[in-house]
Amino acid sequence: MTTTRFAPSPTGYIHVGNLRTALMNYLIAKKAGGSFILRIDDTDPERSKEEYVDQIKRDLEWLGLHWDRLERQSERLDRYAAAADSLRDMGRFYECFETPTELDLKRKKQLNMGRPPVYDRAALALSDEDKAALRAERGDGHWRFKLNHQRIEWEDGILGPLSIDAASVSDPVLIRGDGQVLYTLASVVDDTEMGVTHVVRGSDHVTNTATQIQIIEALGGTVPQFAHHSLLTGPQGEGLSKRLGSLALRDLREQGVEPEALLSLMARLGSSQPVELRMSLDEIAEGFELSQFGSAPTKFDVNDLFPLSARVLQATPVEDVRAEIEALGVPADRVETFWRVTRANINTRNDLAAWWRMFSEGAEPVIEEEDREFVAEAMAMLPEGPFDETTWGTWTAQVKEKTGRKGKALFMPLRKALTGQSHGPDMGDVMPLLQTVRARG
Ligand code: GLU
């Protein structure tokens, strides 16, 4: 069965870049009728926070990206210890004692000599006595996986055929000196034991993939199909990594971005298909093809989300927003009219509150000097509220009769006096919502 996973580390809020990864994995599983796992990569007890785990779940739920299974790496430490034992038994795991400063120095020397900064495997030459002495002096060492120095090749679902020379990569550290299991090992054990068939992640993981393939093979697992999507950049191609913090999903939600807008954009951005607004994940999944994504960095402009969000709102039935509108104080029997009138005149649902304020508290009237007398005369004829659907028609007919004004000269000053704006929704619809008229003077 097709099985995919989204594996965030709960060390921060997830952002648009993470969403791209989550969505691609979700859509692959969905399209194949397979299973989508939410895996919390929380082997780092210091940086992982429960608050982030909760927010990750809320973000995914908000988007409708339901997971079939939830896994937490912190609950699987015994599995990783078992895998580490197997690697040790095979002679593919060795303990090292270099300090970060020593490693840094080695790297600098290599770079100075024009060589790639690959770990020199000095620890392989340590005798048992050497290690015991170092352990006594420095505490437990960190453990590296011994790569086989050959080419590691795979057919990448996005990047095509890839090959990395293992000799150009340092033996990866899988367990730290303090015993903490690192992501590379935990991820491989999970992918293997959970039957993950497809792994899509950012292209910053390409080198990890090479080493992970060797670890999977050493542990006797089946290598999943890997695909690496390009990283997002800003609209001018500038790196986004520093700004991603401000592109957290929960912030976008707060700014009024609609989930359908976000999903429609992220499911197509960077692919050969145009971005089209889709109102459900089923529809988004239908046209989704991983192979249509390119390797070039993908430009992302947060401003593209707002026109799409406005279109989502225009297609949103009143039932989906009723509770929210009533919470603003709109009387139940006015909710439908309120939504019909406002939805074509808002960018995000956050704008609804301002509209209701305008209706309930009355707008600051805008009255041109030459209309002052006319507006005063008209206001004197405006019936007491509450207004209904017929108010505008009846009232303006009477004003026309009395003043002789017609067309734009009649309607525009009255619209501006009542709403403070020169355009907006149909005034026949506006009147039943209007609770206060400040222009009465
Ligand atoms: N926790 C890893 C990350 O957030 C997961 C990478 C992967 O998908 O394997 O980068």
Side-chain angles (χ1 to χ4, degrees):
M1 179 166 73
T2 299
T3 302
T4 62
R5 76 330 187 256
F6 172 50
S9 308
T11 54
Y13 298 119
I14 53 172
H15 49 66
V16 281
N18 304 121
L19 169 60
R20 198 150 177 249
T21 310
L23 184 57
M24 287 180 173
N25 285 294
Y26 174 89
L27 292 174
I28 289 171
K30 174 142 194 113
K31 218 178 152 174
S35 169
F36 175 64
I37 303 174
L38 171 59
R39 189 184 86 197
I40 304 293
D41 282 6
D42 55 354
T43 53
D44 182 341
E46 260 148 52
R47 293 179 59 228
S48 301
K49 299 249 169 355
E50 226 29 54
E51 175 201 345
Y52 296 130
V53 176
D54 293 342
Q55 188 60 43
I56 289 167
K57 289 185 193 166
R58 272 198 293 272
D59 289 341
L60 295 181
E61 276 162 3
W62 169 60
L63 292 163
L65 298 177
H66 302 297
W67 52 93
D68 301 296
R69 194 166 145 190
L70 176 73
E71 296 285 351
R72 296 189 64 140
Q73 292 195 327
S74 56
E75 290 166 5
R76 294 177 43 81
L77 299 179
D78 54 337
R79 305 302 313 150
Y80 312 141
D85 285 342
S86 321
L87 294 176
R88 235 172 247 126
D89 292 347
M90 290 169 216
R92 298 289 297 272
F93 216 28
Y94 62 102
E95 196 176 8
C96 309
F97 295 88
E98 289 91 346
T99 62
T101 320
E102 285 168 352
L103 288 174
D104 209 40
L105 210 69
K106 284 189 187 199
R107 271 194 291 268
K108 282 193 184 125
K109 267 193 202 156
Q110 285 166 315
L111 287 170
N112 278 342
M113 292 188 299
R115 282 207 237 124
V118 176
Y119 177 62
D120 61 7
R121 295 183 159 178
L124 278 179
L126 298 173
S127 67
D128 286 349
E129 294 77 51
D130 294 337
K131 285 192 235 175
L134 281 163
R135 216 173 281 129
E137 185 194 314
R138 302 184 169 191
D140 285 341
H142 52 273
W143 290 80
R144 288 185 191 263
F145 174 73
K146 189 165 166 247
L147 290 167
N148 282 335
H149 282 175
Q150 49 191 220
R151 283 212 156 263
I152 305 167
E153 296 177 348
W154 75 94
E155 182 69 31
D156 194 278
I158 293 175
L159 302 174
L162 281 189
S163 118
I164 289 186
D165 180 4
S168 70
V169 182
S170 295
D171 288 340
V173 177
L174 303 188
I175 296 185
R176 292 203 320 198
D178 63 3
Q180 189 182 308
V181 175
L182 292 179
Y183 148 78
T184 309
L185 175 62
S187 185
V188 156
V189 172
D190 290 345
D191 286 340
T192 303
E193 294 188 0
M194 294 172 195
V196 170
T197 56
H198 296 72
V199 173
V200 184
R201 54 192 178 193
S203 50
D204 48 337
H205 281 288
V206 166
T207 311
N208 279 341
T209 297
T211 61
Q212 287 185 355
I213 288 175
Q214 280 206 5
I215 305 171
I216 295 169
E217 284 169 346
L219 291 171
T222 310
V223 178
Q225 277 187 37
F226 284 104
H228 296 84
H229 59 71
S230 64
L231 300 184
L232 295 180
T233 71
Q236 259 70 55
E238 72 276 22
L240 257 197
S241 55
K242 287 206 187 69
R243 286 190 36 224
L244 280 174
S246 63
L247 294 172
L249 300 188
R250 62 172 209 146
D251 295 333
L252 296 178
R253 180 183 186 176
E254 238 162 62
Q255 289 167 39
V257 168
E258 294 294 322
E260 295 84 353
L262 194 50
L263 294 168
S264 297
L265 183 69
M266 297 321 284
R268 295 288 183 273
L269 205 62
S271 81
S272 53
Q273 286 175 288
V275 175
E276 276 162 19
L277 183 60
R278 294 279 178 263
M279 293 298 278
S280 76
L281 278 161
D282 283 328
E283 287 171 82
I284 290 177
E286 241 165 65
F288 180 80
E289 283 303 336
L290 196 61
S291 58
Q292 292 180 344
F293 284 81
S295 58
T298 302
K299 287 190 178 141
F300 168 78
D301 188 345
V302 69
N303 293 317
D304 291 343
L305 290 169
F306 293 99
L308 277 175
S309 292
R311 282 175 51 205
V312 172
L313 292 171
Q314 282 162 33
T316 299
V318 65
E319 288 323 315
D320 293 1
V321 283
R322 179 175 291 281
E324 197 177 327
I325 292 177
E326 283 185 14
L328 294 174
V330 180
D333 61 341
R334 302 284 158 88
V335 168
E336 240 177 289
T337 321
F338 180 78
W339 182 235
R340 183 158 43 81
V341 167
T342 52
R343 71 173 173 188
N345 292 284
I346 51 177
N347 288 320
T348 75
R349 56 179 82 207
N350 295 346
D351 299 339
L352 290 173
W355 275 102
W356 182 241
R357 215 175 311 120
M358 196 277 269
F359 289 134
S360 57
E361 295 170 15
E364 191 57 48
V366 172
I367 304 170
E368 307 300 334
E369 203 41 54
E370 67 267 25
D371 296 326
R372 203 155 283 285
E373 238 172 81
F374 163 71
V375 171
E377 209 176 346
M379 284 304 146
M381 297 168 69
L382 182 66
E384 285 300 309
F387 308 128
D388 62 25
E389 294 69 34
T390 66
T391 307
W392 176 256
T394 319
W395 175 52
T396 50
Q398 286 164 356
V399 174
K400 178 179 176 187
E401 177 86 39
K402 174 107 190 280
T403 63
R405 283 215 196 193
K406 52 185 191 213
K408 204 174 166 200
L410 168 70
F411 299 121
M412 187 52 84
L414 299 181
R415 170 187 285 281
K416 283 173 20 185
L418 291 173
T419 67
Q421 295 172 18
S422 52
H423 40 239
D426 186 86
M427 287 304 290
D429 286 333
V430 166
M431 293 310 284
L433 294 166
L434 212 55
Q435 318 267 304
T436 311
V437 175
R438 294 210 215 162
R440 280 189 206 274

